[in-house]
Amino acid sequence: MATETERKTGVEALTSGAMAAVWEWVQSKIPDGLEVFDAHAHIGADVDGRTMTAEGMRERMVAAGVGRSIVFPLNDPNARDDYSGPNEVVWNAYEEHPGFFVPFFRLNPHLDYEAEFDRCLERGFRGLKLHPVSQKFELDDPRVVRLFAMAAEADLPVLIHAGFAMERIVEPLLPTVERLPNLRLILGHSGMVEVLEAVRRFEDHPNVLFETSVVRAKDLYVLFSTLDPSRISYGSDIPYGDFPSTLHATLAAADAAGVPDEALPGILSGNIRRWFP
Ligand SMILES: [Zn+2]
């Protein structure tokens, strides 16, 4: 059962009243029969008080017509040393709701991460999430660079928070991207603070995807105006974003930038789905 707070911020509340026409437009842009794939969402609890249950997430997906979501922990107050507790919450969500979730695990690069990395790989997690702001590290920290190499070696996609509150994204990341062409990287929030620089530096690296959740309108427009749409994937960042608003933001920016409708199935689903068949 979803909690009362979750219901109030649920899809129904965001698609009725003044939002009804907006949601109708969103629906008209989503090709018939397309199963939307959300590349960025959270399950668990955050130190800032936000929470999202697997049930609440699933309810939102069903209500919004979203077929699958990549899910990983928040900045969890119970993470302690190795994130194993919050990672298990995500794993349980994956097992209890077959077909809905693609489970990513989270780590703190400052602490011993090797055992949890190996455990999660063994468990069957499909990717790794890293958050340079919450866990206070730079993307060129040797411990992080080593983690990227471990992920590349294990053929494990990595989603990094590359947005709000960050100062250095492209410059510290570029050497890793150049050195590890097989590393599959999802730039959460599209490198929002320096999106144009991110596009310029990473456009020739096909294993780098740009994810659209909670990116400022101007930056989303720049992204869709400058980058091949096959490199862009929709994300919600639930519980910070929501499906109606993030779908609208993504589709409206694509529309304003003149992205052809034929590219929408890729942006909403196919570009990321090919990594998780
Ligand atoms: Zn997030």
Side-chain angles (χ1 to χ4, degrees):
M1 284 291 287
T3 66
E4 200 48 36
T5 339
E6 284 180 355
R7 278 189 201 290
K8 278 190 211 126
T9 55
V11 170
E12 203 186 298
L14 294 161
T15 54
S16 53
M19 279 296 281
V22 173
W23 183 238
E24 208 170 293
W25 180 81
V26 167
Q27 295 293 294
S28 77
K29 295 296 284 185
I30 299 176
D32 281 343
L34 183 81
E35 200 179 70
V36 175
F37 196 126
D38 167 16
H40 183 153
H42 302 267
I43 286 175
D46 195 281
V47 291
D48 68 9
R50 296 280 183 141
T51 60
M52 180 51 58
T53 61
E55 289 74 17
M57 186 64 205
R58 178 179 170 153
E59 259 178 37
R60 282 162 172 70
M61 292 167 72
V62 171
V66 173
R68 289 177 88 192
S69 289
I70 292 177
V71 292
F72 37 81
L74 289 146
N75 193 24
D76 199 298
N78 306 309
R80 288 192 298 270
D81 295 347
D82 62 1
Y83 261 101
S84 58
N87 288 338
E88 276 309 281
V89 170
V90 166
W91 184 262
N92 291 337
Y94 163 69
E95 286 202 322
E96 283 162 23
H97 303 274
F100 279 87
F101 303 132
V102 178
F104 276 35
F105 63 102
R106 187 160 168 160
L107 291 177
N108 184 346
H110 291 295
L111 305 171
D112 279 342
Y113 51 67
E114 229 160 293
E116 181 63 3
F117 184 94
D118 290 344
R119 189 190 73 84
C120 288
L121 206 59
E122 180 93 343
R123 198 86 156 110
F125 277 87
R126 305 294 301 277
L128 167 66
K129 159 69 187 281
L130 295 173
H131 200 306
V133 181
S134 298
Q135 268 65 56
K136 300 186 181 66
F137 60 83
E138 295 289 341
L139 290 167
D140 53 1
D141 182 308
R143 290 164 294 189
V144 179
V145 170
R146 180 167 167 265
L147 203 39
F148 282 132
M150 286 164 67
E153 164 92 30
D155 199 21
L156 196 69
V158 181
L159 188 150
I160 53 167
H161 170 91
F164 184 68
M166 283 186 72
E167 275 156 29
R168 299 172 69 232
I169 298 172
V170 176
E171 173 250 321
L173 202 52
L174 190 60
T176 288
V177 169
E178 287 180 335
R179 197 167 52 86
L180 303 170
N182 295 329
L183 175 66
R184 291 183 285 169
L185 202 58
I186 303 165
L187 290 180
H189 321 302
S190 290
M192 163 167 102
V193 284
E194 43 180 4
V195 63
L196 200 52
E197 183 67 3
V199 169
R200 282 198 190 115
R201 298 293 183 168
F202 299 139
E203 65 186 344
D204 295 331
H205 297 276
N207 279 330
V208 180
L209 287 181
F210 289 65
E211 177 271 309
T212 64
S213 65
V214 303
V215 179
R216 290 178 299 202
K218 179 192 76 98
D219 288 337
L220 265 187
Y221 177 78
V222 169
L223 181 72
F224 280 111
S225 302
T226 53
L227 184 62
D228 187 311
S230 70
R231 302 285 299 287
I232 304 174
S233 290
Y234 162 73
S236 73
D237 200 15
I238 284 175
Y240 298 98
D242 62 77
F243 284 132
S245 308
T246 52
L247 280 168
H248 178 258
T250 296
L251 290 165
D255 194 58
V259 171
D261 280 354
E262 302 81 74
L264 297 181
I267 294 164
L268 295 173
S269 185
N271 297 342
I272 187 79
R273 187 175 296 269
R274 67 197 151 83
W275 285 5
F276 305 99

